Every structure is written in C-alpha cells, then in structure tokens.
Amino acid sequence: RKVFFKYEKRLRMQSPPEKVFEYFASYQTPNGEVFMTPSDLLRAIVPVFPPSEAPRIRGGYLKGEWISGELHCVPAEFFMLFDTNNDGLISFPEYIFLVTLLSIPESSFSVAFKMFDLDGSGEIDREEFKKVMALMRTHSRQGARHRDGQRTGLKVSSSVEDGGLLEFFFGKDGKACLEHGKFVQFLRDLHDEILRLEFAHYDFKSQGNISAKDFVLSMVASADMRHINQFLARVDELNNEPHLRDIRITFEEFKNFAELRKRLLPLSLAIFSHGKVNGLLTKQDFQRAAYQVCGISLSDNVIDMIFYIFDINRDGSLSSDEFLRVLQRRENDISQPREAGLMRLLSCWMDCTKNCSSFKILL
C-alpha cells in the first residue's frame, strides 16, 4: 500500500493529465473509450490511501489489467447535474474542466469573471466563458499540460472545449448567460462534493463514520514525500494506543477539520502569536484558537488525533510548523498550481501573501 501510495502521488503531480486520467479511470466502453466515476475523480486529484477496512491496495489500474464494465459506485447527484446522458460517468474533457475549476481560488475567478463582463451586468455568455476557462487552464498545472487527449491508447471523443458543464451553464442552444453568483455557488458545491467523496472513500462499510486510522491517514497523505515514512510509522503505532485506536470520526467532524484548512492564515497567526507569548501550544490552546479565531469547533476526538500525529516529541505540545505545512500542501494538492503561482495574472493575492511574514510559516 505504501509503495502504491507513493507511486500514485508522484503520478498525480508529475504526469500529464492524460496519463493520470487513464490510470484512475475504471470504466471502459466496448469501443475502448475510458471514463471516470466520481470516486475515480476523487482518487485522481486527492492523495488518499486505500481505506484501512478494505482489501484494496491502490487507487488506479495498471496497464494490462482487466477493467470491469460495471459502474463501481452509485452516481453522485452533484455530477448528474451536468451529465447530459445520465450515465454517471466523467469523460476526459469533463475531467480537464473539473480539475481546472478546482484549481481556481474563488477570489481569482471573480477577478477574471469581471474582466470579461464588459457591460457590468454580472453575466457572461458562452464564448466569453470559454475564453476565461482557456486562460484559467494556462495557469493550472494539469490544464496547461493537456494535449486534448492525444496520448497513445487513450481514446477521447470530444475536445476539452466542450462538455456537459457548458450545457449545464448555458443551455442546449448555448445562448443562456451565466451569472457570477451561480458559478461561485457551483464552485463551492464542487469542493463540498469532493470532500463528501473523500469521506465516503474511507467510510468503506457505509457506517456514517470512519476509523481513527483512516482519519489520520487522510491528514498525513499530503505530507512531503521526504517525511511521509515518519508519519506512516506513527499511524501504524496507533494500534498500540487503546484509548485512541477505537475512536470513530463523523462526517461533521471530518468537514470541520477540512474547513480549518481553508483558514490557514488566521490559524497560523494565532498559533505564531501564542507561541511568542506563551510558548507551548496545548490541546486546549489549539481548540480555543480554532474556535475563537477561525470560528470552527473541533471535537476532542479530532484534537486528540491531531496531537497524536503532530506532537512529534511527545511533550504535550503541537509541532505547529509541520502541522501547518501538511495542511498547506493538502490545499496545493487539490489546486495543483504551476510553479510560478496560480492566477498571477489575475490577482495580486499570491504576492500579498508571500510578502506577509506570518504567512511564511506555511511555506
């Protein structure tokens, strides 16, 4: 499992999108074209371990393996919104479309949207939207490297310029206009759906909760490859902790922790300030910072898991630098920005954050 996890992590970050799509797609039509299920999409964009309660050892499929012709998961309602033929499958063009959307910070898309909204009406038409998306793709690692499916062995029936999403946004005739608010809400819903799929991935037995081991695996999956073995060894030692190993994490707890990742700047400021004034950061200090500074309530179980993994020297204090780095890398794994920084042409946000000394804690 560890070998395949490392292989798949490198594959996501270093391979062209055609190869990533081909590896994680689990459905093949009789004419040889491959498609993803929503669960395949999750595994292609999020570093996840196989669930500990499942016999699975990896997320994708190796060349030459037999691929089942049956759908591997119940189609997600969210993806059915733009699934024009109602088969619950995601084509390569839709995959490129979705990874591009996931790579866009909401603030940056607002800037681009307003640039192309020439009359200030709050709406853009289909052709204007395609121009925006083309620009977005040039600043997204996966989007910029695609070759429209031109890869030996990968059959693609349409261009990345087309797909069910365009019909969903602009109607069958393509003459409807897209409101800024509608798109922003779609973007939020897309991120929420990926989170739901990640939880369902680990909730292998559909119990409505996941094991402590799977929760900490989800936390450390984004760690730097140079440090991943250290964290995985710590996860394995969880079996020797009877007061922790039987903890179950609910979706609400899982989602609250995910919300914390979106508020890394205020969280890092709180942790940094506390450390300068008071020194060690205890469980109670961290729980209070999350609630009072970020407005997020973390349960005692979640706090126990965070400190189990990131209290590296076992002194009862959080090793905050490593914790913040892992959370920051998780956000980068989803967005998959180019090295120069995502959307630099559209927003000065990255420059501002890089020049902020408190944000350097995360880098």
Side-chain angles (χ1 to χ4, degrees):
R1 288 189 178 203
K2 292 176 183 177
V3 169
F4 271 109
F5 170 76
K6 293 176 183 178
Y7 169 74
E8 290 170 358
K9 189 165 183 173
R10 291 189 178 95
L11 182 79
R12 291 183 192 95
M13 299 308 298
Q14 298 176 7
S15 298
E18 283 87 353
K19 183 175 180 179
V20 177
F21 181 85
E22 191 175 31
Y23 177 81
F24 287 101
S26 64
Y27 187 90
Q28 185 170 359
T29 64
N31 69 357
E33 188 170 359
V34 293
F35 291 87
M36 281 184 169
T37 67
S39 294
D40 296 334
L41 174 67
L42 164 76
R43 289 189 286 270
I45 62 177
V46 178
V48 290
F49 282 93
S52 63
E53 298 173 323
R56 188 181 302 138
I57 62 168
R58 62 183 184 275
Y61 299 85
L62 294 174
K63 270 289 188 183
E65 286 186 310
W66 179 79
I67 299 178
S68 170
E70 298 179 359
L71 207 59
H72 289 273
C73 67
V74 176
E77 291 183 12
F78 175 82
F79 291 98
M80 298 298 279
L81 289 174
F82 53 88
D83 183 18
T84 53
N85 57 4
N86 296 315
D87 60 4
L89 299 172
I90 298 166
S91 66
F92 179 75
E94 288 169 335
Y95 166 73
I96 291 294
F97 219 113
L98 289 168
V99 296
T100 302
L101 295 181
L102 286 166
S103 73
I104 303 169
E106 185 177 313
S107 59
S108 293
F109 187 84
S110 296
V111 173
F113 197 104
K114 292 171 184 176
M115 285 173 61
F116 286 85
D117 179 17
L118 299 180
D119 59 1
S121 64
E123 298 179 334
I124 58 175
D125 62 29
R126 186 175 186 270
E127 292 307 309
E128 288 172 331
F129 180 77
K130 289 174 70 173
K131 292 177 183 177
V132 174
M133 290 301 292
L135 180 60
M136 298 293 185
R137 281 197 296 274
T138 64
H139 289 270
S140 164
R141 188 187 65 82
Q142 286 279 24
R145 296 181 64 188
H146 84 87
R147 293 180 293 170
D148 221 9
Q150 296 176 7
R151 169 178 159 81
T152 304
L154 180 64
K155 289 189 176 183
V156 177
S157 59
S158 60
S159 165
V160 298
E161 295 293 335
D162 302 307
L165 270 169
L166 286 178
E167 184 175 318
F168 171 70
F169 286 141
F170 301 101
K172 289 187 176 181
D173 59 4
K175 295 182 179 179
C177 288
L178 175 62
E179 296 178 354
H180 174 263
K182 179 180 179 180
F183 183 82
V184 169
Q185 187 59 51
F186 179 89
L187 200 60
R188 290 172 179 158
D189 292 343
L190 176 59
H191 282 273
D192 287 345
E193 183 65 17
I194 293 298
L195 185 68
R196 190 193 67 79
L197 286 171
E198 183 182 2
F199 184 84
H201 166 81
Y202 287 111
D203 185 15
F204 182 72
K205 297 181 180 179
S206 301
Q207 296 175 305
N209 53 63
I210 63 175
S211 68
K213 184 175 184 178
D214 283 332
F215 179 63
V216 293
L217 283 174
S218 75
M219 279 198 295
V220 305
S222 296
D224 190 291
M225 292 294 285
R226 294 171 296 178
H227 305 144
I228 193 71
N229 287 336
Q230 160 190 351
F231 286 117
L232 293 181
R234 188 75 182 136
V235 172
D236 289 339
E237 293 169 5
L238 188 61
N239 291 329
N240 301 324
E241 303 288 343
H243 65 293
L244 295 177
R245 68 187 180 198
D246 295 328
I247 287 176
R248 308 292 296 186
I249 301 296
T250 66
F251 179 67
E252 182 180 2
E253 292 172 311
F254 190 81
K255 186 175 182 179
N256 285 345
F257 180 73
E259 285 295 317
L260 195 65
R261 292 197 298 262
K262 299 178 183 179
R263 306 181 195 185
L264 285 182
L265 185 53
L267 180 65
S268 65
L269 281 169
I271 291 176
F272 178 76
S273 301
H274 182 280
K276 285 292 185 183
V277 176
N278 301 309
L280 298 179
L281 186 77
T282 66
K283 292 182 180 181
Q284 292 74 24
D285 296 328
F286 183 83
Q287 199 167 30
R288 185 172 62 255
Y291 182 73
Q292 294 184 352
V293 177
C294 302
I296 296 173
S297 178
L298 297 180
S299 70
D300 291 343
N301 284 341
V302 169
I303 295 293
D304 285 343
M305 292 296 98
I306 292 173
F307 272 71
Y308 174 76
I309 291 295
F310 295 103
D311 178 7
I312 294 176
N313 58 6
R314 324 276 22 112
D315 62 356
S317 175
L318 185 72
S319 302
S320 55
D321 283 1
E322 192 59 43
F323 172 71
L324 291 171
R325 284 193 197 97
V326 170
L327 264 63
Q328 176 70 5
R329 284 181 177 277
R330 165 57 192 261
E331 293 304 291
N332 289 345
D333 281 341
I334 296 294
S335 64
Q336 297 180 333
R338 294 176 70 177
E339 289 76 2
L342 182 65
M343 305 310 299
R344 186 176 294 277
L345 294 179
L346 301 176
S347 173
C348 66
W349 178 79
M350 286 298 291
D351 288 332
C352 293
T353 52
K354 284 184 178 180
N355 290 330
C356 174
S357 59
S358 60
F359 191 79
K360 291 180 180 178
I361 300 171
L362 304 178
L363 301 178

